[in-house]
Amino acid sequence: MKLHTVEVLQRERFGDHALLRYRWTGSPPEPGQFVMARVASSTSPTRSLDPFLPRPLFAHDYDGEAMRLLFEIRGRGTALLAGEGTELLVSDPLGRGYTIDGGPVALVGGGVWVSPLKLLARHLARSGVAHDVYLEIPAAAPEAYAAWISGSYPDATLVPTGGASDASRAVLESIGDLSRYAGLYASGPAPMLDAVKRVSRDTIPSQLAVRERMACANGSCYGCAVPVWEAGERAYTRACVEGPVFPGEVLAW
Amino acid sequence: MVTRRATVVGTDPDVDLGVKLCGILLATPLIPAAGTLAKETLGEVKGVYGAMLPKTVTPRPRAGNPPPRVAEVSSGMINSIGLQNPGLDRFLENLTDYDVGLPLFVSVAADTVGEFVAMCERFAGEERVSAVELNLSCPNVEHGGLQFCAGPGTVREVVAACRVPLSGKPLFAKLTNEGVVNNAVAAEEAGADAVTLINTIPALVLDPRERQVSLRGGLSGPAIKPIALRAVYEVSQVVGVPVIGVGGVTSGTDVAEFMLAGAAAVQVGSGSFVREPQEMLEEFAAYLRKNGLRARDLADALTER
């Protein structure tokens, strides 16, 4: 995997969440694409191999000069990314993202998975596609994060929820009548994606961004298996090259 | 011995990277480890590898294991993919996908000796295929699910049986670390033309918060390099056939180390997920240049201390 050395422009922390901005002059990300990212070692001419794998992170936003990644700090890899250092190693934008068709559409997100929806909203606006944004804000989320989300998605309907179990229901209820939308774009925890998939079945096309552990990120290792329907049979496909965004009807959860 | 002077992208033309493996000339000693290089990325690695080695193929399609399939550990990763592959028929239909101007090696796995043999029969007449690597780290259903490479007896049995249909093609036996010396000797005695050492090492990750096993699978990456290096070194002392080294290679120096330990060629696996094999090859070429050596000289270049 080719990783480019890039300059870190800014880091922000919101409790367990981090925002990382770096200079990016490579190919621009499509909404729903991701990058593999790891810290650059200041002591080694190559890089430290511990942690071994780069982390797959959604492209949160891109303004033509700087890429933004928004992620949850879960382990050593993400903690290091959120930590210090003026340089970073990142891949080109990877995977298949959201397809933009006609509007109006609803964007549905929850937790840290709201990340790819920012770039999606930007592209929808650029394409003149009317869209509404509905985001779940968990009650347990730090205030700073909630404040930042509401600032970052100024037109979004924010839905406070008690926890993952009722999040999907609460967000979908806040949307009300779905039939006014030509499509649903979602990025959230599995129960939310599942709920969007169920309510949209047979009526409204949905595009869901899945989140899987990855190793190679180029289709080689088959580590990021996602169950899908293939010719009526359940099979595993690869989130890194066939996804991470899938049409709802394809996912065989 | 006349060896083709390698013309390899980005490396010093004065450095001779060519090696000979079972009579096959390889422009570089690097080979992708089975299951670590997708067809989709073949274009990116032109001029880097000396041979192509696709993901292990089995007699019938395999869906693979449910996720999660990978986990990170200190200086390495654990995988439990479950040999997901489209099966032998589809693989053979699409064999031209691997036409990249390099010798094509295939990795095969099966549940029984009979199925291994049947697969080798199909590949025996396949002109595109230059060699067959037996993945012996799969369960032998006729022996209670023990791996074929669990002991010299089954290694000997499956290699000898596959030797028959593959009379005209090199046959490699890929072995796990446990019992590697005895198993490699058994493979050689049964007619293997080379041994590939080592497969991933059985390992496990626990989640203490959830108090459950997160993943059980095969450990790869820099964490296993010293183990693989010892296997290559010790086996090279006792077998006459070439050894193909694999396990935790992430740099050109690692490639040199495996060849100094006795490997005739080196496979790169999960290391290619975190670094470009091209960079490793350039580092390897720089090592050779600095030391005034050719790749094929390394196996005899180790000095006694």
Side-chain angles (χ1 to χ4, degrees):
Chain A
M1 171 64 59
K2 171 75 181 168
L3 297 176
H4 312 271
T5 303
V6 294
E7 179 194 353
V8 175
L9 300 171
Q10 186 192 3
R11 281 187 176 89
E12 273 186 77
R13 280 283 290 268
F14 314 100
D16 290 342
H17 297 85
L19 180 74
L20 185 58
R21 203 160 66 89
Y22 61 87
R23 194 176 303 285
W24 180 248
T25 52
S27 56
E30 292 297 320
Q33 283 193 307
F34 65 98
V35 301
M36 297 298 277
R38 68 181 302 149
V39 288
S41 167
S42 55
T43 52
S44 156
T46 51
R47 67 194 55 159
S48 166
L49 293 172
D50 188 31
F52 183 55
L53 298 167
R55 294 295 182 270
L57 301 171
F58 280 116
H60 172 58
D61 200 8
Y62 178 65
D63 60 12
E65 289 172 2
M67 184 88 89
R68 282 178 172 82
L69 307 176
L70 173 68
F71 56 94
E72 186 185 4
I73 301 164
R74 288 178 68 96
R76 278 194 310 147
T78 44
L80 286 166
L81 284 167
E84 294 175 354
T86 53
E87 288 184 337
L88 194 68
L89 292 163
V90 294
S91 72
D92 289 324
L94 301 168
R96 285 190 197 168
Y98 294 103
T99 305
I100 293 178
D101 299 314
V105 294
L107 277 55
V108 185
V112 73
W113 295 276
V114 301
S115 175
L117 300 181
K118 177 81 177 171
L119 185 62
L120 176 60
R122 184 188 281 277
H123 279 239
L124 289 168
R126 190 188 296 162
S127 306
V129 178
H131 58 279
D132 297 322
V133 184
Y134 301 88
L135 301 178
E136 173 231 354
I137 297 290
E143 208 171 293
Y145 178 69
W148 179 79
I149 285 286
S150 58
S152 187
Y153 298 87
D155 302 324
T157 303
L158 300 181
V159 188
T161 59
S165 54
D166 78 332
S168 48
R169 190 170 37 84
V171 174
L172 287 172
E173 277 172 6
S174 75
I175 301 176
D177 181 14
L178 289 170
S179 65
R180 67 185 191 277
Y181 292 114
L184 296 177
Y185 294 87
S187 180
M192 175 180 285
L193 297 186
D194 198 41
V196 171
K197 177 178 150 67
R198 270 186 282 114
V199 299
S200 64
R201 180 176 296 159
D202 303 330
T203 51
I204 309 166
S206 65
Q207 297 183 42
L208 313 180
V210 304
R211 213 179 69 147
E212 288 297 330
R213 295 186 193 178
M214 287 183 187
C216 73
N218 66 16
S220 293
C221 76
Y222 286 72
C224 55
V226 177
V228 293
W229 297 112
E230 269 179 16
E233 305 237 341
R234 197 169 180 275
Y236 288 116
T237 194
R238 297 162 295 179
C240 65
V241 288
E242 309 297 338
V245 176
F246 292 91
E249 69 271 19
V250 166
L251 290 170
W253 283 335
Chain B
M1 185 174 74
V2 180
T3 306
R4 182 176 54 186
R5 177 55 55 95
T7 49
V8 177
V9 189
T11 59
D12 190 328
D14 294 332
V15 174
D16 190 345
L17 295 165
V19 295
K20 206 169 180 183
L21 178 66
C22 304
I24 304 164
L25 295 173
L26 309 183
T28 90
L30 299 190
I31 303 168
T36 62
L37 181 70
K39 295 190 217 197
E40 289 88 343
T41 59
L42 289 180
E44 297 167 24
V45 294
K46 268 207 168 118
V48 175
Y49 292 112
M52 195 43 57
L53 180 59
K55 187 168 170 58
T56 296
V57 61
T58 55
R60 290 167 298 282
R62 283 179 61 111
N65 295 335
R69 292 178 170 187
V70 293
E72 163 121 5
V73 295
S74 297
S75 296
M77 60 175 283
I78 292 178
N79 84 78
S80 177
I81 310 298
L83 294 180
Q84 178 174 346
N85 81 96
L88 182 60
D89 291 339
R90 276 265 301 281
F91 180 80
L92 284 169
E93 281 166 28
N94 298 317
L95 205 54
T96 52
D97 291 351
Y98 298 99
D99 285 350
V100 288
L102 295 175
L104 175 63
F105 303 162
V106 294
S107 167
V108 302
D111 292 337
T112 65
V113 171
E115 284 187 343
F116 261 110
V117 172
M119 293 188 80
C120 290
E121 283 167 353
R122 299 277 295 274
F123 284 117
E126 191 55 64
E127 267 182 36
R128 286 196 152 78
V129 174
S130 300
V132 175
E133 181 177 89
L134 306 179
N135 176 351
L136 299 182
S137 300
C138 50
N140 179 347
V141 300
E142 292 168 323
H143 282 258
L146 273 181
Q147 292 183 349
F148 282 92
C149 59
T154 43
V155 169
R156 190 174 283 115
E157 184 190 0
V158 67
V159 172
C162 290
R163 179 74 283 167
V164 179
L166 285 174
S167 54
K169 274 192 212 305
L171 175 63
F172 309 157
K174 184 170 180 179
L175 302 171
T176 194
N177 178 61
E178 200 171 331
V180 71
V181 175
N182 289 338
N183 289 336
V185 169
E188 179 180 37
E189 287 173 357
D193 298 290
V195 287
T196 305
L197 317 175
I198 56 174
N199 211 320
T200 55
I201 294 177
L204 182 139
V205 193
L206 268 164
D207 184 338
R209 276 173 302 191
E210 303 288 332
R211 296 197 300 277
Q212 57 188 208
V213 171
S214 314
L215 190 69
R216 206 164 58 143
L219 175 63
S220 65
I224 73 164
K225 196 194 89 178
I227 299 168
L229 209 51
R230 163 264 172 194
V232 168
Y233 178 77
E234 291 190 2
V235 168
S236 298
Q237 315 282 314
V238 296
V239 301
V241 295
V243 172
I244 302 164
V246 53
V249 172
T250 59
S251 72
T253 325
D254 291 344
V255 176
E257 286 176 27
F258 272 92
M259 296 186 77
L260 286 166
V266 177
Q267 295 183 353
V268 184
S270 46
S272 67
F273 304 164
V274 302
R275 293 199 67 211
E276 280 184 290
Q278 170 77 47
E279 286 176 13
M280 301 182 209
L281 189 66
E282 287 165 12
E283 290 162 3
F284 178 62
Y287 170 87
L288 293 177
R289 182 176 183 77
K290 189 176 170 194
N291 291 278
L293 291 165
R294 300 173 299 181
R296 62 181 177 277
D297 298 333
L298 287 178
D300 300 317
L302 199 63
T303 53
E304 296 297 323
R305 55 171 295 166

